Amino acid sequence: MSARKQQNRVVFGAALLIFGVLALLDNLNIFSHLNFLHFWPTLFILVGILKMSRSNTISGQLIGGGFVAWGAILTLKYMGIISFNMRHIWPLLLILGGLAVIFKDKLISETQWGGVGEGAGQSDVCNVSAVMSGAHVQNSAVNFRGGELTAVMGGIELDLRGAQLQDDATLNVFTMWGGISIKVPQDWTVMSQGVPLLGGIDDKTVPPAITGKRLFIQGYAIMGGVEIKN
């Protein structure tokens, strides 16, 4: 088993362990469930850690870091350490959105931040992020090597029917409150290894008669869906 898969198992297992221990302490009247509710924003922290552990792009690291920061801020708020409301932080969200729009071309090759985008390319690696938006991308690479798809409260449609595989390729997917649709050629074999968490990963492809060109789908679908079809 690869080191990345072991890391994902450790993170997910640690999350289950922590919440299991807290629930047990609550049942034993050692720890009040009211105090437990103060820590629900740590779910955002765990989501951010999962995203960052699977991401090889700057945009993916930024999105994961955003989840971690938001979870930490909310946790501190519910613990009474800091006090704020949306009136205090909405200008910061505008600043971050402006920076993302200005520097998106320097950070990643194919990204949609807000709005609906369409694009086509022949890049061997396809990295697409859709945050509160929609993105439709066609890729016709001669030697497709995979990439990273991130959809947060948005959707991504990736059409790979014009692409070719020279070797095995891996697509890392991450969706939360969103959806990802992937279309592949009929002679590709899809190896679905993603983990759905209150979501779904639906492989509708028909396996080819001859197995040779393999596309591995890895990652997480959190309260969202991933669909693969040929």
Side-chain angles (χ1 to χ4, degrees):
M1 182 175 292
S2 66
R4 174 166 284 186
K5 288 183 180 179
Q6 290 179 344
Q7 182 183 32
N8 292 337
R9 286 183 58 186
V10 170
V11 172
F12 185 57
L16 294 177
L17 178 63
I18 292 172
F19 283 97
V21 170
L22 291 175
L24 178 61
L25 294 176
D26 181 39
N27 290 337
L28 296 175
N29 295 322
I30 298 176
F31 187 84
S32 173
H33 71 280
L34 295 177
N35 293 328
F36 175 75
L37 293 177
H38 293 166
F39 294 94
W40 73 265
T42 55
L43 293 174
F44 287 109
I45 298 177
L46 294 174
V47 168
I49 293 175
L50 287 176
K51 174 56 183 171
M52 295 174 70
S53 69
R54 298 291 308 179
S55 178
N56 295 317
T57 65
I58 296 178
S59 64
Q61 295 291 330
L62 289 175
I63 292 173
F67 276 112
V68 172
W70 182 243
I73 291 173
L74 289 180
T75 300
L76 294 175
K77 170 181 169 59
Y78 282 103
M79 292 178 64
I81 297 177
I82 61 175
S83 177
F84 73 93
N85 54 45
M86 289 301 298
R87 183 174 61 86
H88 296 147
I89 65 173
W90 71 265
L92 179 61
L93 298 178
L94 291 179
I95 293 173
L96 294 176
L99 291 174
V101 171
I102 293 173
F103 295 107
K104 72 172 184 177
D105 292 334
K106 296 182 179 180
L107 294 176
I108 46 181
S109 57
E110 293 180 349
T111 304
Q112 302 297 331
W113 298 81
V116 178
E118 296 186 358
Q122 298 181 346
S123 174
D124 293 347
V125 177
C126 184
N127 298 321
V128 183
S129 297
V131 181
M132 293 184 291
S133 65
H136 177 75
V137 177
Q138 293 179 323
N139 187 288
S140 57
V142 177
N143 181 20
F144 184 73
R145 295 186 291 113
E148 184 174 326
L149 307 179
T150 303
V152 179
M153 292 186 289
I156 296 175
E157 294 183 9
L158 175 61
D159 190 347
L160 295 172
R161 289 175 295 180
Q164 302 177 38
L165 282 179
Q166 305 300 330
D167 199 356
D168 291 347
T170 300
L171 266 178
N172 287 317
V173 299
F174 179 90
T175 178
M176 183 170 181
W177 301 321
I180 297 175
S181 175
I182 305 169
K183 298 177 182 178
V184 301
Q186 293 184 354
D187 61 340
W188 289 15
T189 298
V190 174
M191 309 295 291
S192 182
Q193 300 175 338
V195 179
L197 302 174
L198 300 178
I201 298 179
D202 190 7
D203 181 4
K204 295 183 177 180
T205 60
V206 178
I210 300 177
T211 303
K213 302 176 181 180
R214 297 188 301 176
L215 176 66
F216 291 84
I217 305 294
Q218 300 179 354
Y220 299 93
I222 303 173
M223 292 181 283
V226 177
E227 181 185 62
I228 312 105
K229 54 187 177 181
N230 58 1

